[in-house]
């Protein structure tokens, strides 16, 4: 009956795909519960094939596993069908996929609004992925969203589109000087997707309840990460959903009493894409070094990621807000060969030391990192498989992460390959 949540503990791109890999065949269902095709993770199969997934839950790559797109996800049907086609062409069957009838659809007006609003915000822009995510969630909450189930009723689909476009077109044309969106063309386009998506549309919350009742293991796979959470992140520089562990229940319909473990993935340093505060960001050669060695370029947009030192204040917040039971520290190998590897242990805000995330946005913008210096290591650690094989300084660095964050570290990633890990404790379940 176990349901395990897997989340990112920083600003995203921590390498969550690696954990799905590690859990492998123990997991029978992998559920995406929020976000949309703003996410992107790369999974490398044992035969070396590399897959960049955006909407499809990573479980699609594990034989026998059922990928589920939960009610909390926003779906761009064209992107999803493209992903299904390209996976099928490469010999990965997708027919087990289940899509919640309650998930919301990303519509052309959402993509249009995402772009024009970002332009309008100018220097205050969020740096979104431009995929229409925020406007789709906005319409969901405003109760004018269009859901997957609406694809099954052409009359309703057209009626809902007419209603919502009556307002959106006024805004697009009169406020942003853009072209109006044609109701007929969009209805037709989306009905063609409906034909192909129909076999996958399911009452996923009921399916998952039955699966848990049978004793199946369900992995709830978060996209984005804790500090991008609309409630618990660096608002307004966040995504529009709840990637944190609580969001897993809401976005899948699995009750909190079913969750037996929360795995938090955290990079041995920090990265972020888009705008917003990032106290440990490095603008000099170190930032460039981390970006190059860590190959820190976005899977979805190809943007350069901002890079900096490990931030234990962020880690503590993530452990607390998600109830993390096990941390997976990824990309420790990227730090090899550096003379010093500082860890940010607290902030200084307007002359005062603070040990936790500041309460206000203003204070967070003023936060300056307080560093603890650690000596680096020169050895190549990619072949290490036990903690004893790690150089002393690398081991001490991880032990310090453990102490400062308040959660045990169960796995350390020492290279991109699926075998390149040091295992300290078995992961749940
Ligand atoms: P949106 O999710 O496209 O609305 O973008 C909002 C913020 O979340 C921006 O700063 C994006 O760069 C960031 N973001 C969205 N998805 C990801 C992701 O998968 N990894 C890292 N950052 C992301």
């Amino acid at each position: 009956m176990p349901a395990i949540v897997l989340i990112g503990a920083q600003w995203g791109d921590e390498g969550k795909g690696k954990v799905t890999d590690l859990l492998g065949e123990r997991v029978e269902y992998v559920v995406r519960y929020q976000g949309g095709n703003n996410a992107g993770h790369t999974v490398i199969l044992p035969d070396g094939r590399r897959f960049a997934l955006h909407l499809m839950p990573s479980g699609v790559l594990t034989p026998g596993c059922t990928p589920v797109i939960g009610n909390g996800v926003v779906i761009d049907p064209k992107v999803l069908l493209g992903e299904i086609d390209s996976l099928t062409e490469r010999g990965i069957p997708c027919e087990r996929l289940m899509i919640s009838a309650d998930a919301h659809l990303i519509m052309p007006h959402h993509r249009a609004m995402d772009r024009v609003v970002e332009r309008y915000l100018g220097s205050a822009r969020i740096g979104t992925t431009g995929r229409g995510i925020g406007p789709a969630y906005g319409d969901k909450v405003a109760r004018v969203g269009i859901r997957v189930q609406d694809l099954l009723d052409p009359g309703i689909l057209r009626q809902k589109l007419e209603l919502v476009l009556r307002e959106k077109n006024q805004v697009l044309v009169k406020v942003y000087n853009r072209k109006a969106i044609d109701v007929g063309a969009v209805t037709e386009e989306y009905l063609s997707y409906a034909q192909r998506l129909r076999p996958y549309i399911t009452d996923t919350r009921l399916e998952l309840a039955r699966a848990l009742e049978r004793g199946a293991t369900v992995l709830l796979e978060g996209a984005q990460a804790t500090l991008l959470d609309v409630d618990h992140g660096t608002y307004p520089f966040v995504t529009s959903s709840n990637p944190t562990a609580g969001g897993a229940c809401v976005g899948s319909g699995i009750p909190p009493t079913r969750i037996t473990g929360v795995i938090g993935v955290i990079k041995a340093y920090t990265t972020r894409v888009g705008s917003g505060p990032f106290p440990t960001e490095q603008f000099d050669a170190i930032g460039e070094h981390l970006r190059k060695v860590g190959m820190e370029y976005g899977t979805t947009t190809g943007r350069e990621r901002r890079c900096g030192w490990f931030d234990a204040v962020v880690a503590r917040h993530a452990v607390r807000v998600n109830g993390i039971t096990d941390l997976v520290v990824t990309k420790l190998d990227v730090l090899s060969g550096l003379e010093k590897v500082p860890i940010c242990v607290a902030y200084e805000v307007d002359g005062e030391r603070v040990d936790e995330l500041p309460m206000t946005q203003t204070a967070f913008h003023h936060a300056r990192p307080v560093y603890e210096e650690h000596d680096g290591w020169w050895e190549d650690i990619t072949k290490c498989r036990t903690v004893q094989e790690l150089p002393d300084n690398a081991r001490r660095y991880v032990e310090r992460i453990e102490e400062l964050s308040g959660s045990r570290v169960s796995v350390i990633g020492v290279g991109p390959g699926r075998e390149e890990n040091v295992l300290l404790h078995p992961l749940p379940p």
Side-chain angles (χ1 to χ4, degrees):
M1 77 142 227
I4 313 146
V5 184
L6 169 64
I7 52 98
Q10 295 155 316
W11 277 283
D13 312 306
E14 294 90 353
K16 295 180 279 286
K18 180 152 218 174
V19 179
T20 326
D21 240 20
L22 272 171
L23 296 171
E25 274 137 44
R26 281 188 280 165
V27 173
E28 287 150 84
Y29 292 80
V30 174
V31 188
R32 274 283 306 270
Y33 59 84
Q34 46 71 231
N37 55 314
N38 48 347
H41 52 251
T42 309
V43 185
I44 305 169
L45 290 191
D47 59 14
R49 281 185 301 166
R50 187 179 270 270
F51 291 87
L53 302 174
H54 297 285
L55 253 173
M56 186 68 87
S58 58
V60 72
L61 298 169
T62 310
C65 182
T66 301
V68 180
I69 298 183
N71 56 279
V73 175
V74 286
I75 300 173
D76 187 325
K78 190 176 177 189
V79 173
L80 179 58
L81 287 166
E83 226 162 273
I84 293 174
D85 288 343
S86 93
L87 283 161
T88 312
E89 261 167 42
R90 294 178 70 187
I92 307 288
C94 296
E95 59 276 0
R96 301 173 82 104
L97 172 69
M98 292 182 188
I99 304 172
S100 167
D102 288 344
H104 280 244
L105 293 171
I106 297 181
M107 306 300 292
H109 58 271
H110 296 138
R111 288 192 300 269
M113 289 299 286
D114 199 355
R115 285 192 298 266
V116 290
V117 170
E118 278 283 275
R119 206 169 310 152
Y120 174 81
L121 285 172
S123 63
R125 70 183 171 274
I126 310 298
T128 72
T129 58
R131 303 292 198 263
I133 307 294
Y137 278 112
D139 278 1
K140 171 179 175 174
V141 176
R143 295 164 296 186
V144 290
I146 294 174
R147 293 185 292 173
V148 167
Q149 59 185 277
D150 298 325
L151 294 174
L152 305 176
D153 186 334
I156 282 286
L157 177 67
R158 193 183 170 95
Q159 201 181 314
K160 288 193 173 180
L161 251 174
E162 263 167 10
L163 185 74
V164 74
L165 283 181
R166 205 183 302 159
E167 186 224 340
K168 302 292 173 192
N169 276 338
Q170 295 276 338
V171 177
L172 280 170
V173 173
K174 295 189 178 149
V175 179
Y176 296 109
N177 205 19
R178 301 279 114 186
K179 270 201 270 181
I181 290 170
D182 182 65
V183 177
V186 177
T187 309
E188 216 170 285
E189 181 190 340
Y190 276 65
L191 286 177
S192 75
Y193 303 143
Q195 295 293 335
R196 296 202 48 209
L197 290 175
R198 185 182 289 266
Y200 306 109
I201 302 173
T202 318
D203 181 345
T204 52
R205 105 177 39 87
L206 184 61
E207 288 289 340
L208 290 169
R210 287 181 176 155
L212 287 166
E213 216 46 64
R214 271 203 317 274
T217 300
V218 175
L219 178 70
L220 295 146
E221 176 182 55
Q224 292 85 46
T226 305
L227 274 289
L228 289 173
D229 186 287
V230 69
D231 285 279
H232 304 291
T234 46
Y235 189 91
F237 303 102
V238 293
T239 194
S240 301
S241 61
N242 291 113
T244 45
C249 294
V250 179
S252 67
I254 291 178
T257 44
R258 287 288 199 187
I259 310 289
T260 52
V262 179
I263 303 172
V265 188
I266 198 155
K267 242 182 251 191
Y269 50 97
T270 313
T271 65
R272 147 162 230 180
V273 276
S275 325
F278 177 0
T280 63
E281 182 168 15
Q282 298 297 303
F283 299 94
D284 55 8
I286 283 290
E288 190 52 37
H289 174 87
L290 293 173
R291 184 154 44 246
K292 276 224 178 91
V293 180
M295 289 184 290
E296 298 295 353
Y297 304 91
T299 323
T300 300
T301 58
R303 287 182 290 179
E304 282 193 351
R305 295 183 185 136
R306 300 159 62 192
C307 297
W309 296 124
F310 187 86
D311 186 333
V313 183
V314 163
R316 265 198 298 279
H317 171 73
V319 167
R320 193 179 306 125
V321 94
N322 294 294
I324 291 173
T325 53
D326 297 79
L327 273 177
V328 174
V329 175
T330 54
K331 294 183 129 177
L332 186 65
D333 54 302
V334 172
L335 297 181
S336 300
L338 292 169
E339 202 168 330
K340 295 280 176 198
V341 276
I343 292 180
C344 165
V345 293
Y347 301 142
E348 194 186 291
V349 180
D350 302 328
E352 262 182 53
R353 180 184 163 118
V354 293
D355 292 301
E356 303 300 342
L357 277 199
M359 187 179 75
T360 66
Q361 187 188 347
T362 307
F364 203 3
H365 278 275
H366 293 180
R368 300 283 166 267
V370 175
Y371 286 118
E372 189 179 83
E373 289 270 306
H374 291 265
D375 290 331
W377 57 94
W378 301 96
E379 297 87 337
D380 173 10
I381 61 169
T382 54
K383 305 275 183 300
C384 299
R385 295 294 174 268
T386 63
V387 75
Q388 292 77 18
E389 291 172 275
L390 285 174
D392 287 348
N393 287 348
R395 198 171 53 243
R396 266 196 289 272
Y397 182 78
V398 176
E399 281 166 2
R400 194 65 184 128
I401 288 180
E402 196 163 53
E403 276 164 18
L404 289 165
S405 64
S407 163
R408 71 175 185 182
V409 171
S410 296
V411 181
I412 306 166
V414 291
R418 48 160 51 198
E419 303 303 327
E420 291 176 319
N421 303 304
V422 170
L423 304 176
L424 293 102
H425 307 284
L427 286 175

